[in-house]
Amino acid sequence: EDQVTQSPEALRLQEGESSSLNCSYTVSGLRGLFWYRQDPGKGPEFLFTLYSAGEEKEKERLKATLTKKESFLHITAPKPEDSATYLCAVLTGANSKLTFGKGITLSVRP
Amino acid sequence: DVKVTQSSRYLVKRTGEKVFLECVQDMDHENMFWYRQDPGLGLRLIYFSYDVKMKEKGDIPEGYSVSREKKERFSLILESASTNQTSMYLCASRPTGRGYTFGSGTRLTVV
């Protein structure tokens, strides 16, 4: 059974304090790893897709990386508006369904 | 941009009612999904569909059914709503081989 574990569950940072969010996975046949951002009361918003180990993607203060067992979402000099829940998901199998981790709630204090 | 529209942001229903949650996507995607999201449990897949009139059970299908009569519309049906079905319901669609686009969610309260 595919498993996705995100850590820590919650992270509180001071504005400007860089950090990383971890997503580790145990799957058979990874077809892609996805990062989403979710604000309270809203649907998840797509951030990145990573397909193979060694791949990196960047968007503003966010950078996602992928190894054979885990992915990291690095946040450089975060701002309060980066506060949200960040979800990781893996795509496996022929029927195209995503399996999600439970998410990491990030709070950035001004 | 792809748009996935869920018909209601908030719903309050009574125990035993039949509830319909509607989802429409505007990009001709083959695959559509229904998830529920609960604190501490994350997103859990209820049902998905990879073509018109096709449906597959997800991880927690009990108490739910779905309908996909047209490619752009995927409906989730709660046959007899119960209080343990109070949750945030999220619809998503995707073309084959790409990531999901989510709707904004329906927060359902069953009283």
Side-chain angles (χ1 to χ4, degrees):
Chain A
E1 183 179 328
D2 299 336
Q3 289 195 342
V4 180
T5 304
Q6 292 188 249
S7 61
E9 288 186 16
L11 182 62
R12 299 184 72 177
L13 299 174
Q14 197 70 36
E15 184 172 3
E17 179 187 0
S18 301
S19 188
S20 295
L21 312 181
N22 177 259
C23 171
S24 61
Y25 59 91
T26 305
V27 300
S28 53
L30 180 72
R31 294 174 55 202
L33 185 139
F34 298 78
W35 282 99
Y36 287 85
R37 170 192 170 126
Q38 187 176 23
D39 293 301
K42 296 187 177 181
E45 176 186 341
F46 172 77
L47 291 174
F48 302 109
T49 309
L50 301 166
Y51 292 103
S52 58
E55 190 174 359
E56 297 183 352
K57 295 269 179 77
E58 283 189 71
K59 179 180 178 180
E60 296 179 356
R61 294 178 293 281
L62 299 176
K63 179 180 176 180
T65 63
L66 181 65
T67 73
K68 288 187 177 179
K69 292 184 179 180
E70 56 192 355
S71 177
F72 292 94
L73 185 65
H74 307 278
I75 302 178
T76 302
K79 298 182 177 182
E81 54 262 41
D82 295 321
S83 297
T85 296
Y86 291 85
L87 299 167
C88 167
V90 294
L91 179 67
T92 61
N95 55 19
S96 301
K97 64 173 186 171
L98 283 179
T99 301
F100 283 84
K102 293 183 180 179
I104 297 170
T105 300
L106 174 66
S107 299
V108 182
R109 301 186 301 273
Chain B
D1 281 352
V2 176
K3 195 164 185 182
V4 177
T5 303
Q6 294 184 231
S7 53
S8 305
R9 289 298 305 274
Y10 301 95
L11 276 179
V12 180
K13 297 292 182 180
R14 294 192 179 278
T15 301
E17 274 193 78
K18 191 169 186 176
V19 181
F20 293 85
L21 302 183
E22 305 288 347
C23 176
V24 176
Q25 50 99 357
D26 65 356
M27 282 299 289
D28 203 36
H29 288 171
E30 298 88 359
N31 304 299
M32 297 187 74
F33 305 82
W34 275 106
Y35 285 84
R36 63 177 284 176
Q37 186 175 32
D38 301 286
L41 297 177
L43 281 99
R44 293 179 291 166
L45 181 64
I46 305 171
Y47 266 97
F48 63 104
S49 167
Y50 50 86
D51 204 349
V52 176
K53 297 191 186 293
M54 305 296 285
K55 60 185 179 184
E56 293 267 351
K57 293 182 180 179
D59 300 318
I60 51 163
E62 296 78 19
Y64 302 95
S65 62
V66 290
S67 171
R68 194 167 182 200
E69 296 296 319
K70 294 185 178 181
K71 195 172 188 179
E72 68 271 18
R73 186 180 297 270
F74 191 35
S75 302
L76 180 69
I77 304 158
L78 286 66
E79 298 290 344
S80 177
S82 64
T83 55
N84 63 13
Q85 292 178 310
T86 291
S87 186
M88 169 72 105
Y89 289 88
L90 289 161
C91 174
S93 77
R94 66 182 292 267
T96 301
R98 301 281 299 278
Y100 287 16
T101 298
F102 281 89
S104 54
T106 297
R107 184 162 295 281
L108 173 67
T109 302
V110 182
V111 297

